[in-house]
Amino acid sequence: MESNRQATARAHPNIAFIKYWGNIDDDLRLPANPSLSMNLDGLHAETTVTWRDDLAADQLTLHGQVEGGAALERVSTHLERLRERLGLRNHADVVSTNNFPMGAGIASSAAAFAALTVAAVGAAGAAISERELTTLARLGSGSASRSVPGGFVAWRMSATHTDSYAESIAPPDHWDLVDVIAVVSQAHKAVGSTQGHRSAATSDLQAARVAGAEARLAQCQQAILSRDFAALADVVEHDSNLMHAIMMTSRPPLFYWLPPTLTIMAAVRAWRTEGLQVCYTLDAGPNVHCICVRSDAERVSERLRALSGVVDVRVAAPGAGAVIVRSS
Amino acid sequence: MESNRQATARAHPNIAFIKYWGNIDDDLRLPANPSLSMNLDGLHAETTVTWRDDLAADQLTLHGQVEGGAALERVSTHLERLRERLGLRNHADVVSTNNFPMGAGIASSAAAFAALTVAAVGAAGAAISERELTTLARLGSGSASRSVPGGFVAWRMSATHTDSYAESIAPPDHWDLVDVIAVVSQAHKAVGSTQGHRSAATSDLQAARVAGAEARLAQCQQAILSRDFAALADVVEHDSNLMHAIMMTSRPPLFYWLPPTLTIMAAVRAWRTEGLQVCYTLDAGPNVHCICVRSDAERVSERLRALSGVVDVRVAAPGAGAVIVRSS
């Protein structure tokens, strides 16, 4: 391999309609249940990887700041797995930026590890299938697997690394849905997702949630394919409630909701009974993702802004998959 | 039986430490799991029953107002069962008052049906054991069975009417606990408990909650008997979280929490890590019952009053069982 090969990849975060919570293998991030998400256009991580001969260790620059500690370690652990797959011995210089805040329920690690994986593979000039890329991204952050393909994406579960991959079930332009994100806090969450996933099995209720996930995914996929908003809303809110039920009944419990979170959830349910095509879903954080049809997005945004405790509203349409934007 | 026999009974509401949610038999109110509670001194229902020859139907006066409709019907249905057991054909005049608001998470129906049952039996001059009284009260409102015996009370589960009874596991003076109730709303709840119990089985998670209830009850009973607050707090908060997890994942979901509910729950958890002996539990309503040791009750009350959204704070010590206060 030529030295100093460089590539820059861009990847979007995604919002899960059917949630990933808990692993059957924490090391390989093999999920306890399949999940399904929509990539979020307009929000992205952009990551440049340069494989260099002259580095004694990987290095990470995040938003212009050189990182060490846990952040570098997690990236370096992931790069080690990529080196193994790519047959590389070089270390990497990684430079990354997000255009959205981290740690507040907009899955930043998904976009970050999708972009890192695609950039690292691109910089190595390796020909690796999208399916395999999703499994590699998964090793860094489970939900990153869903940010590699475009549009609406299902992540299959399996006890085998190669078979727990993500694939697009519909392109971004399949359905004009919008995620109107009500931001109630931009603080980092107290308990990160990696630790959260490990706690899922401590809830007595997790097995029952997992048992129904395949059926919920099928209902959700069908709702997307047939563009049936009522069916989508039903399963999306229910699946979000189920995940937070697991979190709250873990030992110790995890409460990600803040008071305005409850206000927004109740408002969304009420707006839907009034005829707006909107439903909510929450990741491991207090911000509320209000999924709605494009024609209701403006009204939903306005109403959200009028609610006490909403500090910002962001709007995202279905996004593309991870792509190389520059390479040399 | 002599005509116009009258008795007045007083009964306290109770706060469940191990929750009752869902029945295996809705008609007989045979619960899906055993439960455990503490009666609440200072709060009570006081009910006078007069069995009269000159009435063509039962009549109900609540807080000085003659009631018809659903309230009368529920009382009359209960009286019908008591008539059957007592061998009576008379109708009853029922006059009742509560000294606390109904429908807001302080189980008003528990105190009401405990007092009604004890007054009706007392007015008939019948000798019925406490154990049987608890089963009769249960027919009117499940948790009413727990308001018949005194102090700390366990309600056993069984598929048989006579064997699903409540009994005291410790008298009121066994442990100087206090329930500091943070009232955040005095509104009637949108979905009453009877309807809520029917919905419990629609949650995929209910079976798993029920499966662990016997073990949680044993842990709670042991914590009470040994006055081990840390063990009590652990199981009481967990059991409350489990019940609300079932509610939120029922179809349709039931959300009883309001934004201040979340604030208080988080505060209580934080105060406990700071050394206060306090934990929370919530019934089917937004008000937060903060169970604490007597020596921390003052501090807990003050801190609760300082929280935004708390409209009132009530303090209740362990209460006695239902008693006849007058008869003629």
Side-chain angles (χ1 to χ4, degrees):
Chain A
M1 185 191 110
E2 200 182 326
S3 67
N4 288 359
R5 287 287 301 272
Q6 184 180 84
T8 300
R10 187 178 278 191
H12 301 293
N14 64 74
I15 178 65
F17 292 171
I18 302 298
K19 301 299 188 185
Y20 157 50
W21 195 246
N23 293 317
I24 54 172
D25 183 322
D26 285 319
D27 184 48
L28 294 178
R29 299 182 197 267
L30 295 172
N33 64 275
S35 55
L36 193 156
S37 60
M38 180 179 98
N39 285 337
L40 299 179
D41 198 34
L43 308 170
H44 63 254
E46 192 171 296
T47 302
T48 300
V49 171
T50 312
W51 292 111
R52 284 170 49 171
D53 306 348
D54 58 338
L55 290 178
D58 298 313
Q59 58 191 32
L60 172 65
T61 305
L62 208 52
H63 293 290
Q65 187 173 332
V66 177
E67 298 280 340
L72 174 61
E73 195 177 313
R74 186 167 173 190
V75 163
S76 195
T77 297
H78 189 57
L79 288 168
E80 190 55 37
R81 284 174 148 157
L82 296 177
R83 270 190 285 270
E84 202 172 300
R85 169 62 182 87
L86 296 167
L88 289 182
R89 305 185 121 201
N90 319 43
H91 287 101
D93 177 53
V94 177
V95 178
S96 188
T97 55
N98 288 329
N99 69 344
F100 61 99
M102 294 171 74
I106 303 172
S108 56
S109 66
F113 281 92
L116 174 64
T117 303
V118 169
V121 169
I128 291 185
S129 68
E130 180 185 273
R131 172 173 163 160
E132 188 180 352
L133 283 175
T134 72
T135 65
L136 293 173
R138 193 200 73 229
L139 296 170
S141 167
S143 54
S145 65
R146 296 191 312 243
S147 282
V148 174
F152 301 87
V153 178
W155 170 20
R156 310 300 174 190
M157 74 167 290
S158 167
T160 309
H161 165 67
T162 50
D163 291 339
S164 182
Y165 65 96
E167 59 183 338
S168 177
I169 61 158
D173 62 1
H174 166 71
W175 193 6
D176 210 5
L177 288 182
V178 178
D179 181 5
V180 183
I181 308 164
V183 180
V184 304
S185 169
Q186 298 182 326
H188 266 268
K189 53 196 171 198
V191 176
S193 292
T194 297
Q195 192 184 334
H197 284 293
R198 288 177 196 270
S199 84
T202 69
S203 168
D204 291 340
L205 310 182
Q206 165 75 347
R209 184 193 71 87
V210 163
E214 194 75 63
R216 289 191 299 278
L217 188 140
Q219 186 187 337
C220 186
Q221 180 162 342
Q222 185 51 43
I224 291 169
L225 294 181
S226 57
R227 300 184 191 89
D228 179 344
F229 192 85
L232 183 78
D234 180 66
V235 71
V236 165
E237 286 192 358
H238 183 48
D239 194 82
S240 176
N241 294 341
L242 283 165
M243 181 176 74
H244 286 269
I246 301 310
M247 293 164 164
M248 293 175 194
T249 56
S250 294
R251 311 300 303 272
L254 293 174
F255 284 87
Y256 286 106
W257 297 349
L258 294 175
T261 309
L262 270 187
T263 305
I264 299 164
M265 290 165 66
V268 167
R269 289 191 299 268
W271 297 340
R272 194 163 64 254
T273 66
E274 294 168 20
L276 287 188
Q277 294 199 299
V278 58
C279 66
Y280 65 72
T281 185
L282 287 97
D283 279 344
N287 299 334
V288 184
H289 294 255
C290 301
I291 310 300
C292 60
V293 297
R294 166 67 66 182
S295 54
D296 283 337
E298 189 65 28
R299 238 168 315 177
V300 167
S301 298
E302 274 170 25
R303 291 187 181 196
L304 286 171
R305 283 180 204 280
L307 290 181
S308 141
V310 174
V311 299
D312 196 8
V313 173
R314 294 157 190 272
V315 178
V323 290
I324 299 282
V325 291
R326 278 186 301 281
S327 65
S328 60
Chain B
M1 184 193 113
E2 201 182 326
S3 68
N4 287 0
R5 287 284 302 275
Q6 184 178 86
T8 300
R10 187 178 278 190
H12 301 293
N14 64 72
I15 177 66
F17 292 171
I18 301 296
K19 303 297 189 187
Y20 157 49
W21 195 246
N23 292 317
I24 53 172
D25 184 322
D26 285 318
D27 183 48
L28 294 177
R29 297 181 197 269
L30 295 172
N33 63 277
S35 55
L36 193 156
S37 60
M38 181 179 97
N39 285 338
L40 300 178
D41 199 32
L43 308 170
H44 64 256
E46 193 172 296
T47 302
T48 300
V49 171
T50 311
W51 292 110
R52 285 169 50 172
D53 306 345
D54 59 338
L55 290 178
D58 299 313
Q59 58 191 30
L60 171 64
T61 305
L62 208 53
H63 293 289
Q65 188 172 329
V66 177
E67 299 279 342
L72 174 62
E73 193 178 315
R74 185 166 174 190
V75 163
S76 196
T77 298
H78 189 57
L79 289 167
E80 191 55 36
R81 284 173 149 159
L82 296 177
R83 270 190 284 271
E84 201 171 301
R85 169 63 182 85
L86 296 166
L88 289 181
R89 304 185 122 201
N90 320 45
H91 287 101
D93 176 55
V94 177
V95 177
S96 189
T97 55
N98 288 328
N99 70 344
F100 61 98
M102 294 170 75
I106 301 172
S108 56
S109 66
F113 281 90
L116 175 63
T117 303
V118 169
V121 169
I128 291 186
S129 68
E130 180 185 274
R131 171 172 165 162
E132 188 180 352
L133 283 174
T134 71
T135 64
L136 293 172
R138 193 201 73 231
L139 296 170
S141 167
S143 55
S145 65
R146 296 190 311 243
S147 282
V148 174
F152 301 86
V153 177
W155 170 20
R156 309 300 174 189
M157 74 167 289
S158 168
T160 309
H161 165 66
T162 52
D163 292 339
S164 183
Y165 65 97
E167 60 183 338
S168 176
I169 62 158
D173 63 0
H174 165 73
W175 193 5
D176 211 2
L177 288 182
V178 179
D179 181 6
V180 183
I181 308 164
V183 180
V184 304
S185 169
Q186 298 181 327
H188 266 269
K189 53 197 171 196
V191 176
S193 293
T194 297
Q195 192 184 334
H197 285 294
R198 289 178 196 268
S199 83
T202 69
S203 167
D204 291 341
L205 310 181
Q206 165 74 345
R209 185 194 70 88
V210 163
E214 194 73 67
R216 289 192 298 279
L217 188 142
Q219 186 188 337
C220 186
Q221 179 161 340
Q222 185 51 43
I224 290 168
L225 294 180
S226 57
R227 302 184 190 87
D228 179 344
F229 192 85
L232 183 77
D234 181 65
V235 72
V236 165
E237 286 192 359
H238 182 49
D239 195 81
S240 177
N241 294 341
L242 282 166
M243 181 176 73
H244 285 269
I246 300 309
M247 293 163 164
M248 293 175 196
T249 57
S250 295
R251 312 301 302 271
L254 294 174
F255 283 87
Y256 286 106
W257 297 350
L258 293 175
T261 310
L262 271 188
T263 306
I264 299 165
M265 290 165 66
V268 166
R269 289 192 299 268
W271 297 340
R272 193 162 67 253
T273 66
E274 293 167 20
L276 287 187
Q277 294 199 299
V278 60
C279 66
Y280 66 74
T281 185
L282 287 96
D283 280 344
N287 300 333
V288 185
H289 294 255
C290 301
I291 310 300
C292 60
V293 297
R294 165 67 69 183
S295 54
D296 284 336
E298 190 65 30
R299 236 168 316 177
V300 167
S301 298
E302 275 169 27
R303 291 188 182 195
L304 286 172
R305 282 182 204 280
L307 291 181
S308 142
V310 175
V311 299
D312 196 8
V313 173
R314 295 156 189 273
V315 178
V323 290
I324 300 281
V325 292
R326 277 184 304 280
S327 64
S328 62

